Amino acid sequence: MTSTKMFEQDLPTPEPETPCRPRQPYRFSTLCATVENPSQKDQFGSSSVPIYQTATFKGVGGQYDYTRSGNPTRSHLEHHLAKISSATHAFAVSSGMAALDTILRMLKPGDEVIAGDDLYGGTNRILTYLKTHGGVAVHHVDTTKPDTLLPYINPEKTAMVLLESPTNPLLKIVDLARIAADIKERAPNAVIVVDNTMMSPYLQRPLEHGADIVYDSATKYLSGHHDLMAGVITCNRDDLAKQMGFIINAAGNALTPFDCFLLLRGSKTLAIRMDRQQATSMLVAQMLDRLGFKVHYPGLAEHPNRDVHERIADGYGAVLSFTTGDKALSERIVGATRLWGISVSFGCVNSLISMPCVMSHASIDPATRAARGLPEDLIRLCVGIEDPADLLDDLERALLEAGAITLTAGGDSHQRYVRTIPSEGTAISRAVQKLAFNESVGYTTECNEDREWFVSAPGKVILFGEHAVVHGVTAVAASVDLRCYGVTTPRHDGKVSVHFIDIDSFRQEWEADELPWDAVTPVRVGDFHSDTLDHKLVDAITTRALSPEVLAKPSARQACIAFLYMYMIMAHGGNRPSFNFSARATLPVGAGLGSSASFSVCAATALLLLYSRIQLPAQPAPTTHGHVHVSHGGRRAIPPALAEEVNRWAFVSEKILHGNPSGVDNSVAVFGGALSYTRPGFGRKAGMIPIQGFKSLKFLLTDSRVPRNTKQLVAGVAATKEQEPEFVNGLLSAIQDISDEAQRALADPQLSRQTLLSALSALIDENHDHLVKLGVSHPSLESIRSKTASPPYTLSTKLTGAGGGGCAVTLIPDDLSEFNLRELMAALSGDGFVPYLTSVGGSGLGILSPYNQPQPLATPPETPHEGEAGTGAVELLRDTFAGKATADLSAWADSLGRWLFV
């Protein structure tokens, strides 16, 4: 590609010498070198624009009065920049980020921005700030695929679309013209903004392709010497120019006169510099490609969307990047260069080398970088104007010194350099997938989808504070050693299906592509789900994805909605996994022991793994001569960041299942143990506090087998509170006192065992009495309570969970004989109840480790139809999982290999 095409514009050029031979419009390099502003002729005829180094101008009513508002040197510069950018308006500000800040200040709370997922680190940083503090929603999408923007376009809310092409630092190509047309058709009021820093006006002028605003970090190519900081904004719309002009004047970030002079001088050589820089860049890219490195450069024949780039740009630019397969190797290469300066930025006459993930893009957290496909081992080269032979020689020597290449004899007996590490796809996949978890080795999305995942989560018992927790009272809860389990199995047929074994062995499947994707506003990797559900998506799933038969089964219906909601809203990069999700529990379903929360945790974890939104940590180093590895049986193997991400999504599922959950159930199911939980928004310090001392206590859980409606019970208490606020608030205050007393008792190491048990028994009775007054008990629960309180047992029992049926929890003291305990359990069973003897405070979320499993997990080319046996040599987990007796399920799961727990 060359840059000699005619530059069409109507700005003035010198008058023709004779009427018989009119002049043609000047070409770009001539426009760069020729600074002409007919409206501002210098009174002395200077050949270089003077520096008006003054803060103020004398007189009244003149064109200039204060340099913050305007300066002749800046006016000359802005006229020149508009001329070479196909623009009517141009503004020069103090930096590229100041340019972007000026543009973003036109947004208001409630607006939505669509941006690329491969952005300059500073751009990502300011967008994150705007999202967090400015009330602006930001959607990061893969802009190299124009169709991925369509689900995010909202005619009323989409205010701005922010694009880069090529992107920095992966040199992805974006079809600016097509995206601009799509946006204008669907959201006419949206402003299309393009960061053109990588190309400069010499190689690409986005205003010609439908952009409304273009900005450059003029520190780079426009200046070319890295001796000033500057940003440039260009546009053709008078309304946008008026807004930005006001902001620049009000904020005072216009470029100083001296820097305007430097930028004007640097821009004159833009064309000749870039011709040299991109010619050398092609030589560097070809050398690295020939050696076998993965090279990102639009000039290479195999570069993705190269045809798009050639349609919208006049050259390939002077930035390229490549991967080595190993972060440490990349660091050695960068450190071994001599002529290539180690520095951030680009566009200088001097060549630069850097590692974006530890330099320019370090402000993007590692998990988000990995999710967006930004390799940790990536090296970026910014080519200058040095002699190409010197640059190639210096880079070759650095590769050799670092051990990336070696000298060997070829078949023709001539020595040549060859790469010394495996090609991409082996070692490189390790570097690409490293996340924030101590540089752990992860799995690609495809790998995650092509294996079975086995997850589990415990149930919970709320000992103090149920119902009251919804209204801000502290709840005391603990995990129980009854668990829900979930298994994902690949299908490879474009369908997604569920099998809810405990809900009458309910089965349902969907064609993944036929789900209501048009109703989805995905939550991008690294972003949080909003505090409110997307009711548009919930309604679309309910009305368009669920059959009348499913809608007629309330439990299955809500579970399907929660599952599909997370499956669809987590989707990113066009990936729609085809798999089956089976779930069952050793917990009684609907008994108030958190079965829905443990289901939510299992479903959320499975989907997060399939979408590679979470990654498991690497195996710990084994015991060696110089290192001792202490085995914890998988406990605490799942890092807090992963657990917190699962908990956020499980809470989303709980909102679908219960409407207004407290958040304590899913928190216990994820983190396990025992904790106090206070819901935010009620004036008390919110959050979770771990509680010690539960593991030594035994409880009897008794399922009344009476179904209950949690939403209705919670709503009933809220209605009573509204009608009788003084009465209900008094009960809530008393329950808070109970929770506080229980926490103090459990945390006191000096309290005797007998005193602790007596105190907890009394608090249990007191708490139950208050719940009866709130109207959430049930005759079946009172019958259980009466049975356990009768001689010879005399035990304290209370309802747990929402009440209205469900479960009761009974504290088992040390002096209750084994005979009496068995007798009590038999008596309860004889009355039609189901008792469970359990300990509390055990592990939370569990994931069967993919490392060193005693039996391999199946990845067949095609999954058999539901109920059919697999044809491969390895039995699918799903088949055994569905057929195991409930009493044997936990032991079987434990026998499969090492589990990783929170």
Side-chain angles (χ1 to χ4, degrees):
M1 295 176 68
T2 61
S3 300
T4 58
K5 76 177 186 180
M6 300 294 290
F7 186 77
E8 299 295 337
Q9 46 80 38
D10 297 326
L11 295 169
T13 59
E15 294 297 320
E17 292 182 358
T18 69
C20 300
R21 191 175 174 226
R23 293 182 181 273
Q24 297 297 315
Y26 287 154
R27 290 165 175 80
F28 191 97
S29 57
T30 305
L31 290 174
C32 277
T34 307
V35 178
E36 293 287 342
N37 189 348
S39 65
Q40 285 190 304
K41 295 288 186 180
D42 177 64
Q43 59 192 2
F44 299 108
S46 62
S47 57
S48 179
V49 173
I51 304 172
Y52 287 83
Q53 191 65 41
T54 180
T56 59
F57 297 83
K58 295 179 180 179
V60 178
Q63 183 177 355
Y64 302 102
D65 57 1
Y66 194 52
T67 282
R68 171 165 59 80
S69 303
N71 182 282
T73 311
R74 191 185 310 134
S75 295
H76 273 283
L77 170 65
E78 291 174 342
H79 178 274
H80 185 64
L81 293 171
K83 180 178 66 174
I84 66 175
S85 301
S86 295
T88 304
H89 306 279
F91 301 95
V93 294
S94 56
S95 70
M97 290 310 301
L100 178 58
D101 179 63
T102 298
I103 296 166
L104 294 177
R105 283 174 186 254
M106 294 189 291
L107 297 170
K108 60 185 183 300
D111 285 345
E112 295 187 3
V113 176
I114 302 174
D117 60 2
D118 180 27
L119 297 173
Y120 165 57
T123 303
N124 188 83
R125 182 166 52 241
I126 196 171
L127 289 176
T128 300
Y129 181 88
L130 196 66
K131 177 174 62 176
T132 305
H133 302 285
V136 174
V138 181
H139 305 292
H140 292 282
V141 303
D142 182 0
T143 50
T144 64
K145 301 173 183 176
D147 289 344
T148 62
L149 280 76
L150 301 184
Y152 299 92
I153 302 174
N154 185 318
E156 298 178 354
K157 292 186 177 181
T158 302
M160 190 171 289
V161 179
L162 182 58
L163 306 172
E164 293 181 27
S165 186
T167 63
N168 177 18
L170 292 177
L171 286 296
K172 296 179 181 179
I173 305 303
V174 176
D175 193 337
L176 302 177
R178 179 178 167 184
I179 291 177
D182 288 344
I183 297 296
K184 293 302 181 185
E185 178 183 349
R186 293 167 173 81
N189 295 324
V191 177
I192 299 169
V193 180
V194 177
D195 179 352
N196 198 45
T197 305
M198 292 279 280
M199 289 281 99
S200 84
Y202 180 45
L203 299 181
Q204 185 171 267
R205 292 166 294 281
L207 293 176
E208 297 175 357
H209 302 293
D212 296 307
I213 299 174
V214 176
Y215 72 97
D216 289 70
S217 171
T219 310
K220 280 71 168 181
Y221 290 116
L222 281 167
S223 165
H225 296 79
H226 281 189
D227 53 6
L228 69 96
M229 298 286 291
V232 170
I233 307 171
T234 58
C235 71
N236 284 324
R237 284 175 48 179
D238 294 343
D239 59 329
L240 296 177
K242 184 177 181 181
Q243 291 183 67
M244 291 186 291
F246 174 84
I247 292 169
I248 293 168
N249 183 44
N253 61 359
L255 197 62
T256 66
F258 183 70
D259 286 338
C260 287
F261 170 81
L262 290 177
L263 181 54
L264 194 56
R265 183 179 67 173
S267 67
K268 295 179 183 179
T269 61
L270 171 63
I272 195 167
R273 283 187 282 106
M274 291 216 71
D275 282 341
R276 176 62 170 266
Q277 286 172 291
Q278 66 177 343
T280 304
S281 296
M282 179 64 83
L283 297 175
V284 174
Q286 290 172 339
M287 182 190 83
L288 292 169
D289 183 63
R290 188 167 56 249
L291 287 169
F293 295 98
K294 174 63 177 177
V295 184
H296 306 279
Y297 184 63
L300 295 177
E302 301 302 319
H303 191 78
N305 285 347
R306 185 177 189 243
D307 58 328
V308 173
H309 183 78
E310 292 181 339
R311 171 161 47 84
I312 63 176
D314 298 332
Y316 303 120
V319 175
L320 63 142
S321 60
F322 70 102
T323 50
T324 66
D326 184 83
K327 183 180 179 182
L329 176 61
S330 295
E331 292 172 346
R332 293 197 301 272
I333 293 170
V334 172
T337 58
R338 298 295 179 268
L339 189 54
W340 299 79
I342 303 174
S343 177
V344 297
S345 197
F346 56 89
C348 181
V349 292
N350 305 111
S351 296
L352 303 175
I353 188 169
S354 66
M355 290 184 65
C357 288
V358 296
M359 298 174 74
S360 58
H361 291 61
S363 61
I364 304 175
D365 69 90
T368 302
R369 290 199 303 261
R372 295 177 182 174
L374 185 58
E376 297 290 316
D377 63 319
L378 188 73
I379 295 175
R380 188 181 70 179
L381 298 174
C382 307
V383 182
I385 64 171
E386 301 93 339
D387 190 288
D390 293 333
L391 289 173
L392 293 170
D393 179 70
D394 188 61
L395 182 57
E396 192 175 72
R397 289 176 181 274
L399 293 169
L400 185 63
E401 181 179 328
I405 60 174
T406 187
L407 194 62
T408 186
D412 55 2
S413 298
H414 287 91
Q415 286 189 317
R416 59 180 59 120
Y417 289 109
V418 296
R419 194 175 175 197
T420 57
I421 64 173
S423 59
E424 185 191 16
T426 53
I428 191 170
S429 63
R430 299 195 303 270
V432 175
Q433 294 300 322
K434 286 179 182 177
L435 289 179
F437 309 129
N438 300 318
E439 302 221 320
S440 60
V441 178
Y443 297 90
T444 63
T445 301
E446 293 76 11
C447 177
N448 283 353
E449 185 180 345
D450 286 340
R451 62 169 294 116
E452 287 190 302
W453 287 100
F454 198 3
V455 299
S456 75
K460 69 88 184 66
V461 57
I462 296 183
L463 296 174
F464 305 103
E466 49 271 274
H467 275 289
V469 69
V470 176
H471 303 278
V473 171
T474 302
V476 177
S479 61
V480 297
D481 57 3
L482 303 170
R483 302 180 75 87
C484 178
Y485 296 87
V487 174
T488 69
T489 307
R491 289 184 60 113
H492 302 290
D493 60 359
K495 296 181 180 180
V496 59
S497 57
V498 294
H499 185 193
F500 302 144
I501 298 168
D502 294 331
I503 309 178
D504 299 324
S505 198
F506 173 86
R507 299 176 188 268
Q508 186 67 30
E509 69 177 25
W510 301 268
E511 292 283 350
D513 289 340
E514 293 180 5
L515 292 170
W517 294 100
D518 58 308
V520 179
T521 302
V523 175
R524 302 300 303 170
V525 175
D527 291 348
F528 294 164
H529 190 286
S530 66
D531 291 336
T532 58
L533 293 174
D534 185 341
H535 292 288
K536 176 183 175 184
L537 178 57
V538 172
D539 292 342
I541 292 171
T542 305
T543 58
R544 295 161 56 188
L546 302 186
S547 66
E549 292 76 16
V550 176
L551 293 173
K553 301 175 180 178
S555 296
R557 178 192 65 214
Q558 292 306 109
C560 285
I561 294 172
F563 174 81
L564 289 177
Y565 183 94
M566 291 191 292
Y567 173 76
M568 297 176 71
I569 209 166
M570 284 188 196
H572 61 93
N575 181 40
R576 297 172 183 177
S578 172
F579 68 100
N580 175 79
F581 177 67
S582 298
R584 64 179 301 196
T586 57
L587 283 163
V589 175
L593 296 180
S595 57
S596 70
S598 55
F599 165 82
S600 293
V601 171
C602 288
T605 305
L607 289 165
L608 289 166
L609 285 166
L610 284 167
Y611 279 121
S612 295
R613 297 176 79 108
I614 58 175
Q615 302 289 341
L616 298 182
Q619 296 185 88
T623 296
T624 63
H625 178 70
H627 169 74
V628 175
H629 167 60
V630 179
S631 175
H632 296 272
R635 296 182 302 277
R636 300 184 181 275
I638 294 177
L642 188 156
E644 288 164 4
E645 178 73 354
V646 170
N647 196 37
R648 284 189 287 267
W649 282 103
F651 189 46
V652 171
S653 175
E654 283 288 271
K655 288 180 180 179
I656 296 172
L657 295 174
H658 296 302
N660 184 29
S662 66
V664 64
D665 288 18
N666 49 276
S667 297
V668 173
V670 171
F671 294 99
L675 54 84
S676 66
Y677 174 86
T678 306
R679 194 176 186 183
F682 292 88
R684 249 182 223 98
K685 184 179 180 181
M688 298 181 297
I689 301 175
I691 300 175
Q692 307 301 322
F694 269 107
K695 285 188 177 181
S696 60
L697 302 177
K698 288 194 301 183
F699 292 88
L700 184 68
L701 302 175
T702 306
D703 183 5
S704 70
R705 304 182 72 179
V706 174
R708 71 225 156 87
N709 188 321
T710 300
K711 286 184 179 180
Q712 184 177 327
L713 289 161
V714 172
V717 173
T720 304
K721 182 181 179 183
E722 186 174 347
Q723 295 167 3
E724 303 178 69
E726 185 174 347
F727 169 70
V728 173
N729 285 330
L731 293 176
L732 296 179
S733 178
I735 294 173
Q736 179 66 56
D737 291 340
I738 292 171
S739 293
D740 293 342
E741 285 286 355
Q743 291 181 77
R744 282 195 292 269
L746 288 162
D748 186 353
Q750 303 300 319
L751 202 64
S752 71
R753 173 81 173 179
Q754 185 58 44
T755 304
L756 173 63
L757 290 171
S758 297
L760 292 177
S761 293
L763 293 172
I764 284 173
D765 290 334
E766 184 182 348
N767 195 166
H768 182 81
D769 290 342
H770 292 320
L771 293 171
V772 170
K773 293 175 184 177
L774 284 175
V776 295
S777 189
H778 187 272
S780 63
L781 298 173
E782 295 305 316
S783 176
I784 295 170
R785 178 171 159 79
S786 175
K787 177 74 70 176
T788 58
S790 65
Y793 316 116
T794 61
L795 305 179
S796 295
T797 299
K798 63 179 287 291
L799 68 86
T800 184
C807 262
V809 57
T810 305
L811 177 64
I812 305 299
D814 297 337
D815 56 4
L816 183 68
S817 69
E818 183 71 18
F819 173 80
N820 285 341
L821 178 59
R822 296 301 170 190
E823 182 183 57
L824 173 61
M825 294 178 68
L828 290 169
S829 297
D831 290 344
F833 306 126
V834 182
Y836 301 86
L837 185 62
T838 183
S839 60
V840 298
S843 296
L845 165 66
I847 302 173
L848 184 62
S849 173
Y851 308 114
N852 301 328
Q853 295 194 21
Q855 64 177 47
L857 297 185
T859 56
E862 291 187 5
T863 299
H865 293 294
E866 300 289 341
E868 294 182 10
T871 58
V874 179
E875 183 180 17
L876 293 173
L877 283 178
R878 181 193 64 182
D879 297 331
T880 307
F881 176 71
K884 278 287 177 185
T886 301
D888 300 329
L889 184 59
S890 294
W892 171 74
D894 291 342
S895 72
L896 292 174
R898 181 173 180 260
W899 282 78
L900 309 177
F901 293 104
V902 173

